Amino acid sequence: MSESQSLVLKLVEFGQSAVSAFLELSLSQQISVIAVAPFLYTIAWQFLYSLRSDRPPMVFYWIPWVGSAIPYGRRPYEFFAECQEKYGDIFSFVLLGKVMTVYLGVKGHEFVFNGKLADVSAEAAYTHLTTPVFGRGVVYDCPNSRLMDQKKFVKGALSKESFTRYVPLLVEEVNKYFRNSKNYDMNHKSQGTVDVMVAQPEMTIFTASRTLLGKELREKLDTGFASLYGDLDKGFTPINFVFPNIPLAVNQKRDHAQRTISNTYMSLIHKRRQNNDVQDRDLIDTLMKNSTYKDGVKMTDQEIANLLIGVLMGGQHTSAATSSWALLHLADRTDLQEELFEEQMRVLDNGNRELTYDALQEMPLLNQMLKETLRLHHPLHSLFRKVMRDMQVPNTSYVVPKGYHVLVSPGYCHLQDAYFPNAKEFNLHRWDQDAASSYNTGEKVDYGFGAISKGVSSPYLPFGGGRHRCIGEQFAFLQMGVIMSVYIRTLKWHFAPGRTVPSPDFESMVTLPQTPAEIVWEKRVPEQVV
Ligand code: HEM
Ligand SMILES: *[C@@H]1O[C@H](CO)[C@@H](O)[C@H](O)[C@H]1NC(C)=O
Ligand SMILES: *[C@@H]1O[C@H](CO)[C@@H](O)[C@H](O)[C@H]1NC(C)=O
């Protein structure tokens, strides 16, 4: 008998005696065995895994499949810090049936953001989340080369010339919000209390829509149409990573909203095309003029509409969260409001000069304030790629196998004293020598949507890096810069007694302030009409 045959025989024998031993147990004993089996299996598996020197260490967990979902989901940065202490910068953990390999620190930024196209895939990691919300054929529902072209098309509406036109529109929207929204209602009130987590998402969608989508679609937001964005938004949650298409009422509403919104965008595209009315007003004009892929294939109107949804979504949560955090930190530091107010008065000649694109470039403190806010509150605490080919981790014995995910967290570096002395402190003067919104120096590379920094080993990466780097950085700084400039010139605000900057809630799509996130405001000049 060969060795393998005898091994099989022994296994069969062992199996038979295990089964008969199990059958001899009482029912309650049998139930206990069945109940603990998965735990024993998980522990045995983790033990065997720990013997492998070619795998990053695995964070210990008790509950199969769920793994470390609870500590990671609730407090990701604390979870990372504890794991780093035990295992070092590179470790894996189980998250709802997936294995995530984390690489902390600036080397991790290189490993993940500059991972080779054949090794790591963003679309495989994100498509379940984004495709039901954006629609088919765009962003993570198409090959990477298509996404690179789509980013190039969108950048056409994010030029200096466009920004120059957007500034007065943004100012007008913020003032209109102060006057008319029930949150401020400055036509009737000169002081009040507002929850920034109510006001800032609205201000963000109004300003982004007015500039990127144009006048017609901005006006639709004053109607019942706005609630469709709410329905779409509720379908944009981390649960989609696990169950994208369960027939829940929220998902049905999400799908209906996606269809209705994209149909509305398409109607506007048709109308403009029929009237031969394609100019340079907004992103819709830009995409109508220029959305032919390198290989000659044209984006369909449905795809253009879906891309519009994707771009607006990409900017909505991130910018709304950031301006909310900025308002909250300044409520805590009224001295900084005064410093920022002085800069406004100096650059805008005590109110005799209009706010323009150029004027905004002359306001380093305003930009440093946004930059510092993004340091303390990276909207995206984790970014993922799915591993498509075994990846050797440079200078280690580790191989991250195909099928795992890699996770990178620039937001974690943002909070380390080693990189940012006294990292917990909101200190906009730490950027006195460098007001630029992000690191973008050194050797450049172009993945198809314009030149960006080749290296991504900066500890400060609010906009990511590599081929998936954000294209909305300058727009976000423009939009949030105008919003904050108008705030600082129109209002003073502080916390009610006993209140302070809320802690972050890490469980939604972006790291948001826990609510209520209320500030108490008053007009700088009570009789002023905004
Ligand atoms: C404070 C504001 C924003 C922050 C912090 C931010 C952050 C980021 C980050 C970290 C990424 C990289 C994602 C990854 O590597 O997985 C990204 C990608 C992207 N963002 Fe932004 N973003 C912001 C605003 C915007 C705005 C306003 C737009 C649109 C106008 C936008 C559009 C995009 C797009 C199209 C991508 C590319 C996705 C890809 O290539 O996979 N973002 N953003
Ligand atoms: C389309 O955009 C690309 C990149 O921005 C530009 O080089 C090209 O001239 C544009 N084409 C048209 C027809 O506007
Ligand atoms: C690997 O080690 C070499 C030699 O110490 C070093 O030059 C290189 O930067 C390291 N690479 C990474 C990705 O850590």
Side-chain angles (χ1 to χ4, degrees):
M1 209 163 40
S2 79
E3 229 174 89
S4 67
Q5 278 172 320
S6 85
L7 185 70
V8 169
L9 264 181
K10 274 188 196 152
L11 272 174
V12 170
E13 255 173 56
F14 178 80
Q16 282 169 340
S17 47
V19 168
S20 58
F22 179 77
L23 292 175
E24 281 163 25
L25 297 174
S26 72
L27 182 65
S28 67
Q29 284 169 329
Q30 286 177 346
I31 290 172
S32 325
V33 168
I34 290 169
V36 299
F39 295 93
L40 293 178
Y41 171 81
T42 306
I43 292 164
W45 185 83
Q46 289 180 74
F47 173 71
L48 291 174
Y49 186 99
S50 74
L51 300 176
R52 296 187 63 158
S53 59
D54 63 340
R55 291 283 180 266
M58 175 73 71
V59 177
F60 186 83
Y61 62 98
W62 287 104
I63 311 173
W65 191 79
V66 173
S68 307
I70 292 172
Y72 166 71
R74 292 220 175 121
R75 303 192 171 278
Y77 295 142
E78 284 174 27
F79 174 72
F80 292 157
E82 283 161 23
C83 296
Q84 189 176 37
E85 200 169 307
K86 278 191 208 142
Y87 308 106
D89 288 346
I90 310 168
F91 52 87
S92 300
F93 71 95
V94 169
L95 175 66
L96 308 178
K98 298 186 170 83
V99 186
M100 319 299 289
T101 298
V102 183
Y103 195 158
L104 298 174
V106 294
K107 285 186 178 159
H109 296 176
E110 279 300 335
F111 185 65
V112 178
F113 287 134
N114 275 348
K116 291 201 192 77
L117 187 56
D119 287 348
V120 292
S121 162
E123 57 274 24
Y126 295 144
T127 188
H128 297 301
L129 174 73
T130 54
T131 303
V133 180
F134 303 169
R136 307 305 303 259
V138 299
V139 190
Y140 303 122
D141 188 51
C142 56
N144 185 266
S145 59
R146 291 287 192 241
L147 172 60
M148 297 301 108
D149 274 356
Q150 290 160 15
K151 289 169 79 169
K152 177 182 71 184
F153 302 150
V154 173
K155 276 191 78 177
L158 306 176
S159 62
K160 194 183 162 201
E161 296 75 62
S162 322
F163 288 169
T164 304
R165 279 184 288 104
Y166 294 163
V167 170
L169 304 175
L170 293 167
V171 171
E172 168 62 22
E173 283 297 330
V174 181
N175 282 327
K176 219 163 68 183
Y177 193 83
F178 280 161
R179 272 198 311 271
N180 301 338
S181 80
K182 66 174 187 302
N183 289 306
Y184 285 101
D185 190 21
M186 287 192 197
N187 275 339
H188 303 105
K189 297 200 306 199
S190 56
Q191 57 187 54
T193 299
V194 69
D195 189 326
V196 298
M197 282 309 297
V198 176
Q200 292 320 108
E202 290 183 353
M203 216 180 254
T204 306
I205 186 94
F206 292 157
T207 47
S209 300
R210 178 62 189 90
T211 50
L212 297 177
L213 298 180
K215 195 167 191 288
E216 300 94 323
L217 292 175
R218 166 63 188 90
E219 280 166 5
K220 281 221 161 251
L221 275 175
D222 294 329
T223 70
F225 192 74
S227 71
L228 289 169
Y229 285 105
D231 290 346
L232 196 59
D233 222 56
K234 289 192 198 88
F236 197 48
T237 84
I239 304 166
N240 282 10
F241 277 122
V242 195
F243 309 111
N245 281 315
I246 37 174
L248 287 179
V250 283
N251 288 351
Q252 282 160 6
K253 280 192 170 174
R254 171 196 71 193
D255 297 344
H256 174 257
Q258 200 287 331
R259 281 191 299 274
T260 316
I261 294 171
S262 65
N263 283 336
T264 307
Y265 293 176
M266 281 191 283
S267 309
L268 181 62
I269 293 172
H270 293 155
K271 193 173 127 208
R272 286 189 184 180
R273 190 179 289 126
Q274 247 168 13
N275 297 343
N276 230 327
D277 178 25
V278 185
Q279 311 173 29
D280 278 311
R281 288 161 293 200
D282 46 39
L283 180 55
I284 298 184
D285 280 341
T286 305
L287 294 178
M288 287 184 72
K289 279 190 177 172
N290 204 351
S291 50
T292 304
Y293 293 118
K294 274 193 289 293
D295 60 3
V297 173
K298 286 181 162 54
M299 288 183 80
T300 63
D301 288 353
Q302 178 75 62
E303 286 164 351
I304 291 177
N306 295 353
L307 183 58
L308 290 168
I309 295 180
V311 168
L312 266 278
M313 269 285 179
Q316 174 62 23
H317 298 270
T318 45
S319 296
T322 306
S323 65
S324 297
W325 282 116
L327 289 166
L328 293 165
H329 280 285
L330 294 179
D332 193 43
R333 292 288 306 274
T334 50
D335 59 316
L336 294 178
Q337 288 178 43
E338 292 316 303
E339 233 183 295
L340 289 161
F341 183 70
E342 277 161 31
E343 179 182 70
Q344 294 295 306
M345 290 301 109
R346 181 166 45 73
V347 177
L348 299 181
D349 191 15
N350 291 314
N352 295 316
R353 177 181 172 197
E354 295 273 300
L355 184 64
T356 60
Y357 175 79
D358 289 329
L360 274 168
Q361 313 316 306
E362 297 165 35
M363 299 172 173
L365 266 190
L366 183 70
N367 288 312
Q368 285 169 233
M369 186 274 291
L370 294 169
K371 187 171 182 179
E372 180 68 348
T373 304
L374 280 168
R375 184 187 66 79
L376 273 178
H377 303 283
H378 197 305
L380 307 165
H381 62 71
S382 302
L383 299 161
F384 311 99
R385 306 284 184 262
K386 188 164 185 184
V387 177
M388 309 309 280
R389 217 167 54 172
D390 290 4
M391 280 172 89
Q392 172 77 47
V393 185
N395 295 348
T396 71
S397 64
Y398 303 145
V399 174
V400 185
K402 178 179 168 181
Y404 278 27
H405 286 72
V406 283
L407 185 162
V408 61
S409 176
Y412 182 75
C413 275
H414 287 190
L415 300 174
Q416 303 308 307
D417 288 333
Y419 298 118
F420 303 97
N422 217 341
K424 289 212 170 59
E425 192 196 350
F426 184 81
N427 173 12
L428 47 81
H429 291 293
R430 72 172 79 236
W431 303 107
D432 279 350
Q433 304 309 314
D434 181 15
S437 53
S438 79
Y439 165 89
N440 212 358
T441 52
E443 206 184 326
K444 293 282 157 56
V445 59
D446 187 347
Y447 295 100
F449 57 91
I452 58 170
S453 282
K454 184 166 185 211
V456 293
S457 47
S458 167
Y460 184 74
L461 292 178
F463 298 97
R467 64 175 61 248
H468 291 285
R469 192 187 195 288
C470 189
I471 51 167
E473 171 177 358
Q474 288 77 15
F475 180 81
F477 264 67
L478 186 84
Q479 178 187 28
M480 298 189 296
V482 170
I483 290 175
M484 293 309 297
S485 164
V486 180
Y487 258 102
I488 289 158
R489 285 179 287 129
T490 314
L491 304 181
K492 291 182 186 185
W493 63 98
H494 59 270
F495 285 122
R499 288 282 183 83
T500 177
V501 182
S503 346
D505 167 5
F506 293 104
E507 291 178 40
S508 47
M509 282 303 300
V510 301
T511 54
L512 301 173
Q514 282 182 10
T515 49
E518 285 171 348
I519 55 171
V520 181
W521 62 269
E522 64 188 281
K523 278 192 200 169
R524 274 191 181 266
V525 184
E527 62 279 12
Q528 186 187 349
V529 181
V530 294

